[in-house]
Amino acid sequence: MTVWLLGDQLGPGVAPLDTADHVLLIEAHAFADRRRYHPQKLTLVFSAMRHFRDELRDRGYDVTYLRAETFGDGLDRYFETNPGDHLVGLRSPSHGADDRRRRLVEARGGTLTLVENDLFLTTREEFDAWADETGSGDDGSRTFRQEHWYRHVRRETGILMDGSDPVGGEWNYDDQNRETPPAEWTPPDVPRFEPDDITREVQTFVADRYDDHWGDPEGFVWPVTRTEALQALEHFVSVRLPEFGAYQDAMLDDEWALCHSLLSAALNLGLIRPREVVDAAVDTYESGSAPLNSVEGFVRQIVGWREFMRHVYRRSMPDLADANQLDQTEPLPPAYWTGETDMRCLSKAVEHVHDRGYAHHIERLMVLSNFALLYGVDPAELNEWFHLGFVDAYHWVTTPNVVGMGSFGTDVLSSKPYASSANYIDKMSDHCAACPYAKSKTTGENACPFNALYWDFLKRNEETLRGTGRMGLMYSHVDRKDDEEWAAIRDRAAELRARAEDGDL
Ligand code: SF4
């Protein structure tokens, strides 16, 4: 039996490999001519595929590894030597990918059977049964509730459970997870996986072929094998996890990683599985080496958000990709590509993405997405930027996070937008102290752009948002502003948009 695995299915233990003797891997290149992915993302995927090929060969598998322009070209070559072959693969979480693969194989006289993708912790059937049972996502209650799903999975799996109760008595410890590090704090080391010969060869190929892509090709630190991914996991649970929780929402001017796990790229490639990273974190808590608030916060990222996003994406596509309930139509400001802006928080977040293909979740949500939301950026354009810029980005990941949560293009994921003024960024970071903009000013010279755009956003979208749950407090502040204030806010917002367009923010 031949197993055809994709570049994000590099799990040495995936179920179809149990009965397979032959594995097909196609390293397709032309898709990245059309979509200008970050060079480190391309290096990561191609290098991980080549390492996976060698690992499988070492384990005795016969591996056909084809470098081709497209999957179609690769399959042409494969079926020339293997006419009529039957392939088995894992379902892809990306919308439409399974149908496209099946059509490509059948057009060449082969057949393709796709089985459950066991690189995820929960199955489609489990989520669908939960959604049906709870009425989540029905017309009557459009919003899928992450918190409900998270508790459901904890109960079903026993993860961090004490009988029928959550360990420690609470389902989450967010109130302990909103600290910013003191000035004398030293962040833990970032595990660095030096490029070997294979990775260096891929880096050269990527630099030659995709030489006009945005993003720094150097500074590559990402694990490309399962062994390295397990080392990264061990480093996280032993070194980074203890302080992860307390500082998980913090942002520091000179610090791109803080205590974040940095495991998302390896997880999304399939090098490690969600269950094993969760178990490693829980073991660390049980051995007394990490506090519960850290471990629970991490478990929620994996069991709650990651699995949840994948399922909501599946249930909400294809509409989700183009969802734009606020009719936001502004183009993305050039600063997202150049990083050239005096806005310290934005320039730092863009710099992190440019340099590493990575920014942590609060930079993603409360700086990069928040600014685009307030500015009025078309959610699909922002989604494309995230998709191209991040090493861990896949359509199933970015679309619910960026279009749903970040842009509030739809209310299937949250009942209110993640919109905030400079207040939040000032509270959770040290950026404002180093920024020429004045965090407390809304209008006038050097007023922080987040502030006028925030009020302008609430006013522009009043009809949709005022009646939305949990927006009452924000609109009570809106109601206190007089006509003169609104005129100044509108003028300031218009000026900021004109300056942003000119790359002068
Ligand atoms: S003052 Fe405004 S633009 Fe500057 S860092 Fe703070 S929130 Fe960002």
Side-chain angles (χ1 to χ4, degrees), residues 80-289:
E80 262 170 36
T81 46
N82 301 275
D85 202 9
H86 176 65
L87 304 178
V88 176
L90 297 180
R91 282 173 170 169
S92 168
S94 288
H95 179 78
D98 291 348
D99 287 342
R100 281 196 296 278
R101 287 160 72 201
R102 200 175 275 114
R103 281 198 300 272
L104 286 171
V105 169
E106 288 173 358
R108 287 156 181 82
T111 51
L112 175 64
T113 299
L114 294 170
V115 301
E116 182 75 34
N117 189 331
D118 55 344
L119 291 168
F120 290 94
L121 196 150
T122 57
T123 66
R124 299 148 69 112
E125 288 70 26
E126 281 165 357
F127 186 88
D128 291 347
W130 167 81
D132 290 346
E133 211 173 281
T134 56
S136 299
D138 285 353
D139 287 346
S141 64
R142 278 173 48 82
T143 309
F144 292 93
R145 299 284 180 195
Q146 186 273 147
E147 183 65 27
H148 296 179
W149 161 252
Y150 171 58
R151 293 181 189 191
H152 168 78
V153 179
R154 294 254 312 259
R155 286 194 187 97
E156 291 293 310
T157 57
I159 293 169
L160 280 183
M161 293 298 292
D162 183 4
S164 56
D165 296 321
V167 166
E170 304 290 340
W171 289 101
N172 82 59
Y173 296 88
D174 275 350
D175 56 343
Q176 297 173 40
N177 289 352
R178 297 191 187 110
E179 290 181 36
T180 49
E184 67 277 12
W185 183 70
T186 308
D189 289 342
V190 172
R192 193 186 166 88
F193 300 94
E194 290 299 332
D196 62 3
D197 288 348
I198 290 177
T199 300
R200 278 196 293 274
E201 187 187 348
V202 173
Q203 281 177 314
T204 302
F205 166 73
V206 167
D208 287 348
R209 174 153 180 160
Y210 309 106
D211 60 351
D212 60 345
H213 286 209
W214 182 79
D216 188 350
E218 303 300 326
F220 186 89
V221 295
W222 307 104
V224 293
T225 65
R226 176 165 169 78
T227 301
E228 289 181 347
L230 289 172
Q231 288 166 3
L233 173 59
E234 169 56 27
H235 187 274
F236 170 60
V237 296
S238 60
V239 176
R240 314 172 69 76
L241 181 60
E243 291 181 301
F244 164 77
Y247 302 146
Q248 70 171 5
D249 287 356
M251 295 177 278
L252 291 184
D253 215 51
D254 291 321
E255 181 52 35
W256 67 279
L258 282 100
C259 297
H260 291 277
S261 74
L262 311 178
L263 294 172
S264 53
L267 274 166
N268 292 351
L269 286 174
L271 298 177
I272 43 174
R273 291 172 186 244
R275 183 68 202 229
E276 64 190 330
V277 304
V278 164
D279 287 347
V282 172
D283 287 350
T284 309
Y285 164 68
E286 289 177 347
S287 69
S289 302

Side-chain angles (χ1 to χ4, degrees), residues 388-400:
L388 299 182
F390 283 75
V391 291
D392 55 11
Y394 294 88
H395 198 254
W396 69 268
V397 178
T398 62
T399 306

Side-chain angles (χ1 to χ4, degrees), residues 50-91:
R50 295 180 193 188
H51 281 94
F52 187 58
R53 167 201 63 197
D54 293 351
E55 184 185 338
L56 290 177
R57 283 179 178 155
D58 286 348
R59 285 170 53 195
Y61 288 97
D62 176 14
V63 181
T64 299
Y65 193 91
L66 300 171
R67 291 180 205 169
E69 284 303 294
T70 64
F71 280 158
D73 292 345
L75 290 170
D76 281 342
R77 280 157 55 196
Y78 180 78
F79 282 108
E80 262 170 36
T81 46
N82 301 275
D85 202 9
H86 176 65
L87 304 178
V88 176
L90 297 180
R91 282 173 170 169

